[in-house]
Amino acid sequence: MADPRMFQLEDYSQMERWGNARDVKPPPINLLSDTGLIVDDVAVGFLYITNSDLGIIEGYLTNPEADKFDRHKALNGITLELIEMAKDAGCKLLKCDTKLNEIVTRAKDFGFVELGQYKTFVKEL
């Protein structure tokens, strides 16, 4: 399997296909971070750099038709690289919100500390 590479706008069609297959809507392309990694035909994830020492890992999505082991390996590779990118960008704290057990397990495996359960709210402007 290929190593993660930088996400490009033309990769969005893969995300849309994966989202449709999973019955989830990927974030609109204009809300995606410029810092994203993808393993073609397998998985994608993004790092949002804030104007503080906080970074946010977000936007994980996998191709449900890809092999389960390949998805696991790709998400691990993407996560490791996003963590390194956050360190290189000067982030001192990295945050991830999820409701998916697979991401909860991965976050704990990578040393993230669970702060509890919250409700997430958004408002379109």
Side-chain angles (χ1 to χ4, degrees), residues 17-112:
R17 283 194 310 275
W18 303 344
N20 288 337
R22 291 190 176 280
D23 201 26
V24 297
K25 187 173 179 173
I29 198 162
N30 62 320
L31 296 182
L32 292 177
S33 171
D34 292 339
T35 308
L37 295 173
I38 188 168
V39 174
D40 284 312
D41 300 317
V42 184
V44 66
F46 295 88
L47 170 66
Y48 292 79
I49 305 293
T50 68
N51 63 350
S52 69
D53 288 345
L54 174 68
I56 301 168
I57 292 180
E58 183 68 52
Y60 284 101
L61 191 58
T62 62
N63 178 358
E65 295 177 6
D67 178 77
K68 186 175 181 175
F69 177 77
D70 288 344
R71 291 191 312 251
H72 175 76
K73 187 175 174 185
L75 287 174
N76 281 350
I78 288 169
T79 301
L80 280 171
E81 286 199 38
L82 291 176
I83 289 170
E84 287 305 311
M85 293 169 87
K87 287 179 187 175
D88 291 345
C91 294
K92 304 294 184 227
L93 184 69
L94 198 51
K95 178 180 180 270
C96 174
D97 294 316
T98 189
K99 64 180 182 178
L100 302 173
N101 288 331
E102 297 85 0
I103 301 298
V104 169
T105 300
R106 182 163 285 103
K108 289 178 180 179
D109 288 347
F110 282 98
F112 285 70

